[in-house]
């Protein structure tokens, strides 16, 4: 999503450049001592690359962090101390669509801009925040950092809290209420009690309780990820005694919408992480709101305007193609956009997996580093997005609906845009969007065949679609768009710090211990990466990051007990002899 602008001789300013390297592909609290202050020379420009929109459950997946302060050396530049920067934004990646490279350049003269940075955003031509709403993105209750951002911008882009539903090929399976409006119960009892299961018997639902043992054992540490990542989600549910009906009609489909692939193709570690964050950590976590229009119009444009008022400049037609490595300093010294090179002091790279894979294959600098070569082992998931306008009004009980189990390998969601988007609220006909994940089988089909499939699926959920006629359609294909958390993928994912002292990573697929997922993780990792730059420069103010809400007391107690048990077990002979 970002790149750097050629460094001009403007002494006395600290320039941040950002560029878009989006490719239509997919788009994860600062821990103390995130990085040791770099030993590299301080008179080299700093570059950071991060993306504005990133993936959520599909979507808002990459985030460029707000820049909070940056000085150099011991805070002296040309005899004048640099003042702290006032959170000059790189760009949040709220949907994994745009890839950004933000370059920060520091020169040896007084700071011209009040914020301490001169920011230039270089876009490859698609426009930041585009394509608009590839997948409709929900914003869940735990997304406190994103909610803080929109509050700071003074915008109100979201709907009220809304109910949602889940369908199978046999009809309505589950309805999810607004959990925060109901009496709060210890997890997971509120979720089990208040969720309205239309078809699944109580005895089947109770078989899910045994899974809490794995939820307690999975504490988001590196050890936990490595323990569960090689196991498939299906094996996990089988091991803990989940009933076939609950798995087939509820858990499997819900997971396939959350991680975008069938359960047998998903990592058990990612499954436990996403289930806990969105559903099991706290009763209210599954409550969500929606953007009342396109993300670009309601969030990115006002956000970009805010950055412009702080001195940022947005330039089109720039795409990052490589990085220049300075062997003397061991740092990235410049970012290449074709034949143009933009000097940098630090770089934040916030892009999706597919975009990074393309960059690694063509980069003389990145292909020499193990952590970037490993990224070539990762995979992404195809998406098809279909927007339809009908000739009549069809009553859709809930604005957002997850679907699976239609005899196909894909999962899908459909959204009543009349309830979500302001522009369709007064329409006399139904307007909806359906997003298909793991859409390998649909991608090569002609539009008319895709439409037939969509209408067949919709009719199984809501019978009135049998008699409705499509008057307008928009079908968009996005190959390799979403992150695939396949079993064994964790060991190939990168961390926020890299083997380049001044190159940092951000995105919803980056390894972090914050605990968030999807759009929130994209934004949080952007903030964490910005903090790493501040730490690297040894000056400036750290961005504030809202931590994930603490575990409920009974979960915390059980996790502490589990850790003690594991510590004792590790002391036993032959503990690590057998395959875990």
């Amino acid at each position: 999503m970002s790149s750097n602008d050629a460094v001009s001789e403007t002494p006395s300013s600290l320039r941040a450049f950002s560029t878009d390297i989006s490719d239509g592909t997919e788009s994860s609290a600062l821990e103390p001592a995130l990085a040791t202050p770099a030993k590299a020379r301080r008179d080299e420009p700093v570059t950071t690359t991060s993306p504005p929109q990133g993936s959520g459950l599909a979507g808002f997946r990459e985030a460029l962090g707000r820049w909070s302060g940056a000085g150099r050396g011991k805070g002296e530049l040309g005899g004048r101390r640099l003042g702290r920067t006032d959170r000059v934004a790189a760009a949040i990646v709220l949907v994994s669509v745009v890839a950004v490279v933000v370059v920060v350049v520091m020169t040896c003269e007084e700071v011209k801009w009040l914020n301490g940075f001169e920011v230039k955003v270089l876009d490859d031509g698609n426009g930041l925040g585009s394509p608009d709403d590839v997948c409709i993105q929900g914003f869940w209750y735990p997304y406190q950092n994103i909610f803080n951002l929109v509050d700071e911008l003074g915008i109100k882009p979201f709907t009220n809290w809304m109910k949602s539903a889940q369908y199978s090929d046999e009809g309505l399976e589950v309805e999810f209420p607004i959990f925060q409006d109901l009496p709060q119960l210890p997890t997971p009892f509120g979720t089990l009690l208040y969720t309205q299961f239309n078809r699944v018997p109580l005895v089947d639902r109770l078989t899910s309780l045994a899974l809490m043992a794995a939820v307690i054992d999975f504490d988001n540490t590196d050890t936990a990820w490595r323990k569960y990542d090689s196991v498939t989600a299906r094996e996990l549910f089988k091991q803990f005694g989940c009933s076939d009906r609950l798995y087939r009609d509820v858990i499997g489909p819900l997971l396939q919408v959350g991680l975008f692939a069938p359960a047998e193709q998903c990592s058990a570690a990612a499954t436990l992480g996403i289930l806990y964050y969105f559903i099991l950590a706290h009763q209210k976590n599954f409550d969500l709101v929606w953007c009342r229009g396109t993300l670009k119009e309601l969030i990115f444009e006002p956000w970009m305007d805010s950055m412009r008022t702080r001195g940022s400049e947005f330039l089109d037609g720039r795409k990052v193609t490589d990085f220049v490595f300075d062997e003397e300093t061991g740092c990235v010294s410049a970012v290449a956009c074709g034949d143009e090179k933009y000097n940098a002091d630090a770089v934040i790279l916030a892009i999706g997996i597919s975009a990074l894979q393309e960059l690694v294959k063509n980069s003389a600098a990145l292909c020499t580093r193990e952590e970037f070569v490993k990224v070539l082992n990762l995979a992404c998931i195809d998406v098809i997005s279909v927007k339809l306008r009908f000739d009549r009004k069809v009553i859709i009980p809930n604005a957002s609906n997850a679907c699976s189990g239609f005899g196909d390998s894909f999962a899908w969601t459909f959204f009543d845009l009349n309830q979500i988007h302001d522009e369709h609220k007064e329409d006399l006909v139904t307007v909806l969007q359906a997003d298909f994940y793991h859409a390998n089988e649909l991608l090569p089909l002609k539009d008319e065949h895709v439409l037939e499939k969509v209408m067949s699926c919709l009719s199984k959920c809501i019978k009135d679609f049998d008699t409705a006629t499509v008057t307008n359609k928009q079908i968009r294909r996005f190959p390799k768009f979403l992150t695939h958390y396949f079993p064994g993928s964790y060991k190939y994912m990168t961390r926020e710090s890299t083997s380049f002292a001044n190159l940092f990573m951000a995105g919803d697929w980056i390894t972090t211990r914050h605990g968030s997922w999807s759009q929130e993780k994209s934004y949080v990792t952007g903030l964490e990466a910005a903090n790493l730059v501040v730490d690297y420069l040894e000056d400036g103010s750290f961005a504030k990051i809202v931590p994930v809400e603490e575990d409920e007391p009974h979960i915390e107690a059980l996790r502490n007990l589990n850790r003690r048990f594991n510590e004792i077990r590790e002391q036993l002979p032959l503990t690590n002899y057998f395959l875990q």
Side-chain angles (χ1 to χ4, degrees):
M1 289 162 93
S2 52
S3 171
N4 305 331
D5 168 69
V7 172
S8 57
E9 297 293 330
T10 9
S12 124
S13 76
L14 197 139
R15 287 195 240 34
F17 303 105
S18 102
T19 71
D20 186 3
I21 55 177
S22 85
D23 65 347
T25 67
E26 69 101 10
S27 14
S28 209
L30 177 69
E31 301 179 35
L34 277 173
T36 304
K39 301 290 190 290
R41 281 170 39 190
R42 292 289 192 255
D43 24 8
E44 296 301 329
V46 189
T47 303
T48 88
T49 68
S50 292
Q53 210 156 308
S55 14
L57 266 176
F60 261 0
R61 293 200 175 214
E62 325 241 24
L64 259 198
R66 296 168 291 175
W67 291 99
S68 218
R72 184 161 52 176
K74 296 298 181 183
E76 299 294 331
L77 278 185
R80 172 173 178 140
R81 195 183 196 290
L82 280 176
R84 82 175 181 84
T85 61
D86 187 16
R87 291 181 306 166
V88 178
I92 296 185
V93 190
L94 296 179
V95 178
S96 20
V97 175
V98 187
V100 173
V101 178
V102 176
V103 180
V104 178
V105 177
M106 297 170 23
T107 59
C108 296
E109 290 188 12
E110 64 183 23
V111 178
K112 288 185 177 180
W113 299 104
L114 174 63
N115 291 337
F117 291 94
E118 180 182 347
V119 180
K120 292 187 179 180
V121 180
L122 309 181
D123 173 35
D124 71 352
N126 289 328
L128 297 181
S130 296
D132 285 337
D133 295 358
V134 175
C135 298
I136 297 288
Q137 307 289 326
F139 293 80
W140 271 258
Y141 187 91
Y143 287 10
Q144 295 303 311
N145 288 283
I146 288 179
F147 293 147
N148 283 352
L149 171 70
V150 298
D151 288 343
E152 291 167 8
L153 292 174
I155 58 177
K156 298 186 180 300
F158 300 127
T159 64
N160 294 324
W161 301 102
M162 286 187 165
K163 298 179 180 180
S164 57
Q166 182 178 328
Y167 289 85
S168 71
D169 55 356
E170 296 183 4
L172 180 64
E173 291 287 349
V174 183
E175 290 184 281
F176 300 98
I178 300 174
F179 289 99
Q180 60 191 287
D181 291 345
L182 301 169
Q184 300 299 294
L185 299 176
T187 187
F189 301 110
T191 302
L192 282 174
L193 178 63
Y194 298 134
T195 301
Q196 300 168 26
F197 294 89
N198 286 21
R199 304 167 57 83
V200 180
L202 175 62
V203 64
D204 290 272
R205 286 177 260 158
L206 292 177
T207 64
S208 65
L209 288 175
L211 186 66
M212 287 301 295
V215 170
I216 290 166
D217 190 41
F218 184 82
D219 56 2
N220 199 43
T221 60
D222 181 72
T223 299
W225 270 91
R226 293 185 183 279
K227 177 179 179 179
Y228 287 96
D229 188 55
S230 60
V231 181
T232 70
R234 188 183 187 283
E235 290 171 334
L236 177 73
F237 293 118
K238 179 181 177 181
Q239 178 182 349
F240 285 90
C242 178
S243 80
D244 179 73
R245 182 166 186 177
L246 181 67
Y247 172 81
R248 183 185 67 246
D249 294 342
V250 179
I251 295 181
L254 191 64
L255 178 63
Q256 192 167 354
V257 171
L259 289 177
F260 320 117
E264 62 270 18
Q265 298 181 32
C266 292
S267 155
T271 299
L272 290 170
I274 201 169
L275 285 178
Y276 188 68
Y277 180 70
F278 286 110
I279 301 176
L280 298 175
H282 304 282
Q283 175 182 307
K284 58 198 173 189
N285 276 20
F286 201 67
D287 290 345
L288 73 168
V289 295
W290 304 90
C291 192
R292 296 185 293 106
T294 67
L295 300 173
K296 180 178 181 180
E297 178 184 4
L298 295 187
I299 297 180
F300 277 96
E301 288 184 357
W303 190 18
M304 292 163 64
D305 289 341
S306 174
M307 287 190 279
R308 288 189 182 99
T309 63
R310 304 182 185 189
S312 301
E313 184 180 358
F314 293 84
L315 304 176
D316 292 331
R318 303 295 193 279
K319 180 176 180 178
V320 172
T321 55
D322 202 353
F323 300 93
V324 178
F325 174 62
D326 188 324
E327 294 185 1
E328 181 180 350
T329 64
C331 297
V332 172
S333 60
V335 174
C337 295
D339 294 333
E340 295 180 287
K341 288 185 173 59
Y342 309 105
N343 293 342
D345 284 320
V347 178
I348 297 177
L349 184 61
I351 59 179
I353 290 172
S354 294
L356 182 57
Q357 288 174 331
E358 179 185 355
L359 188 57
V360 169
K361 291 175 182 177
N362 296 293
S363 169
L366 298 186
C367 71
T368 64
R369 301 303 173 100
E370 183 181 8
E371 73 263 42
F372 290 104
V373 174
K374 282 185 175 181
V375 171
L376 299 177
N377 293 303
L378 295 174
C380 295
I381 291 171
D382 300 333
V383 176
I384 286 185
S385 182
V386 181
K387 185 175 180 179
L388 302 176
R389 187 179 186 89
F390 292 87
D391 64 341
R392 68 192 67 183
K393 194 78 166 182
V394 176
I395 302 302
I396 303 176
N398 296 284
S400 63
N401 308 272
C403 312
S404 188
F406 287 72
D408 299 289
S409 64
F410 60 78
W412 58 291
T413 51
F414 69 95
F415 305 91
D416 184 359
L417 298 186
N418 301 89
Q419 297 186 52
I420 298 174
H421 287 183
D422 290 348
E423 66 172 310
H424 297 302
K425 285 190 181 296
E426 303 302 323
D427 287 358
L428 300 179
V429 299
T430 290
V431 181
L432 67 76
Q433 180 168 322
D435 298 325
F436 291 78
Y437 318 112
H438 199 261
N440 316 39
E441 300 173 7
L442 298 178
L443 217 59
L445 299 182
K446 294 182 178 180
D447 283 359
E448 55 266 31
H449 295 144
V450 172
L451 181 59
E452 289 176 7
K453 189 69 175 178
V454 174
M455 291 305 299
S456 172
C457 291
L458 285 172
S459 298
K460 291 178 181 178
C461 298
I462 299 177
K463 297 300 182 185
D464 287 349
F465 279 113
D466 275 334
T467 57
T469 301
V470 175
T471 60
N472 192 17
K473 69 178 186 296
Q474 181 185 28
I475 299 176
R476 299 179 295 170
R477 295 166 174 82
F478 301 95
K480 300 183 183 304
F481 184 78
L482 300 173
T483 302
H484 185 188
Y485 291 93
F486 61 85
S489 59
Y490 175 73
K491 59 181 174 287
Y492 304 125
M493 294 183 175
T494 63
R495 300 181 183 276
E496 290 162 311
S497 296
T498 72
S499 57
F500 295 99
N502 66 336
L503 189 150
F504 308 99
M505 303 293 297
D508 73 335
W509 61 280
I510 300 300
T511 299
T512 178
R513 299 302 165 214
H514 180 263
S516 53
W517 278 82
S518 195
Q519 305 98 298
E520 176 79 351
K521 184 180 180 183
S522 295
Y523 182 38
V524 166
T525 54
L527 297 178
E528 290 179 337
N531 285 343
L532 285 169
V533 173
V534 171
D535 184 75
Y536 168 74
L537 297 174
E538 300 180 322
D539 195 10
S541 303
F542 292 108
K544 293 181 180 179
I545 300 173
V546 180
V548 171
E549 188 175 352
E550 293 182 354
D551 294 334
E552 294 184 8
H554 64 294
I555 298 296
E556 182 179 4
L558 289 170
R559 281 186 164 168
N560 288 334
L561 182 64
N562 183 66
R563 290 188 189 103
R564 294 192 190 97
F565 172 77
N566 288 335
E567 289 170 0
I568 295 172
R569 188 179 62 176
E570 287 294 324
Q571 307 303 317
L572 299 177
L574 302 179
T575 299
N576 297 318
Y577 179 79
F578 298 100
L579 182 65
Q580 299 296 312

